[in-house]
Amino acid sequence: MASLTPNFVSRLFRPFTSSTKMGLGPSEGGVQNIPDTAQKCTVAAGCFWGVEHLFRKNFGDKGLYDARVGYIGGDTSNPSYRAVCTGRTGHAEALQMSFDPSRLSYTDLLAFFYKMHDPTTKNRQGADTGTQYRSAIFYHSPEQEQQAREVTRKAQEQWWKGKPITTEILPAGQWWDAEAYHQLYLDKNPGGYECPAHYVRSFPTLT
């Protein structure tokens, strides 16, 4: 991993944009013709650059159709990145994935979620602090809620024992795509900021 100081500084001074949130082409991270049988998985785990990067890297050829960064969980319509950064919109930086449930399970995605960030630090990941960096699972069905609570229980008992998990489990409300320059950010900017809390921990398989 590159030195923390330059990356952290680059995050502090990364550009804001007023671009509108429109559908993006494949070069910007969009995927065409996602089948009706696809399911969604929406999670928040801190700075969305690293979250997207790790999920794409680990599941890009295993049934993941698409992964988009954006905002969810707040009460502001069409929020900008600048507004979300204030912590006053209620939104979290998040990742919304579309996946093939015949090749990739929702519970596998959630287990990876609990491996790739620290769910025990409330409203914080690494040096990134604020409600916009909270840990959360936004479910899309009663079945997903049940699975999220079960995976969370197992992760607490088997992986994070002694450190209470603070992850919120909430129904998925309105999703807002982040600005275009945030999509696939670390693919376009390999030296860009990566939260030091974002790495895959060597945990045993949940049972």
Side-chain angles (χ1 to χ4, degrees):
M1 180 178 292
S3 128
L4 174 59
T5 302
N7 282 344
F8 182 60
V9 170
S10 74
R11 177 169 169 78
L12 288 177
F13 291 97
R14 71 192 191 185
F16 293 111
T17 179
S18 59
S19 63
T20 55
K21 301 167 186 64
M22 301 176 66
L24 305 177
S27 64
E28 298 286 356
V31 172
Q32 306 299 316
N33 301 321
I34 294 175
D36 293 338
T37 54
Q39 293 183 11
K40 290 181 180 178
C41 174
T42 304
V43 296
C47 175
F48 49 23
W49 292 348
V51 181
E52 177 196 38
H53 188 68
L54 282 175
F55 272 96
R56 283 187 178 276
K57 180 179 178 180
N58 283 270
F59 298 105
D61 59 351
K62 299 175 183 175
L64 184 67
Y65 290 126
D66 192 20
R68 304 188 64 75
V69 297
Y71 315 115
I72 192 171
D75 52 14
T76 301
S77 296
N78 199 36
S80 67
Y81 175 73
R82 182 187 293 273
V84 172
C85 277
T86 69
R88 295 194 293 267
T89 67
H91 287 293
E93 290 193 17
L95 180 71
Q96 186 163 95
M97 295 168 276
S98 298
F99 66 97
D100 179 353
S102 71
R103 298 182 58 202
L104 178 60
S105 74
Y106 182 67
T107 55
D108 282 346
L109 289 169
L110 294 188
F112 184 79
F113 164 77
Y114 279 120
K115 281 185 178 182
M116 59 71 56
H117 82 299
D118 185 346
T120 71
T121 53
K122 187 175 179 63
N123 297 329
R124 178 170 63 84
Q125 288 296 305
D128 300 329
T129 303
T131 57
Q132 66 269 34
Y133 301 118
R134 65 190 181 271
S135 175
I137 298 168
F138 298 92
Y139 57 83
H140 294 269
S141 68
E143 181 182 12
Q144 281 196 353
E145 179 185 12
Q146 181 181 11
Q147 292 174 324
R149 295 192 184 281
E150 180 66 9
V151 172
T152 301
R153 180 188 65 79
K154 290 181 177 181
Q156 179 69 84
E157 294 174 354
Q158 300 175 37
W159 290 349
W160 296 100
K161 45 194 172 186
K163 299 175 67 178
I165 286 176
T166 64
T167 303
E168 299 176 350
I169 299 175
L170 301 167
Q174 176 67 52
W175 170 264
W176 304 96
D177 267 359
E179 294 84 347
Y181 72 94
H182 288 300
Q183 310 296 335
L184 290 169
Y185 184 86
L186 289 174
D187 288 279
K188 302 171 190 172
N189 302 275
Y193 172 79
E194 291 186 72
C195 175
H198 289 165
Y199 63 92
V200 183
R201 286 133 179 102
S202 299
F203 290 146
T205 302
L206 290 175
T207 58

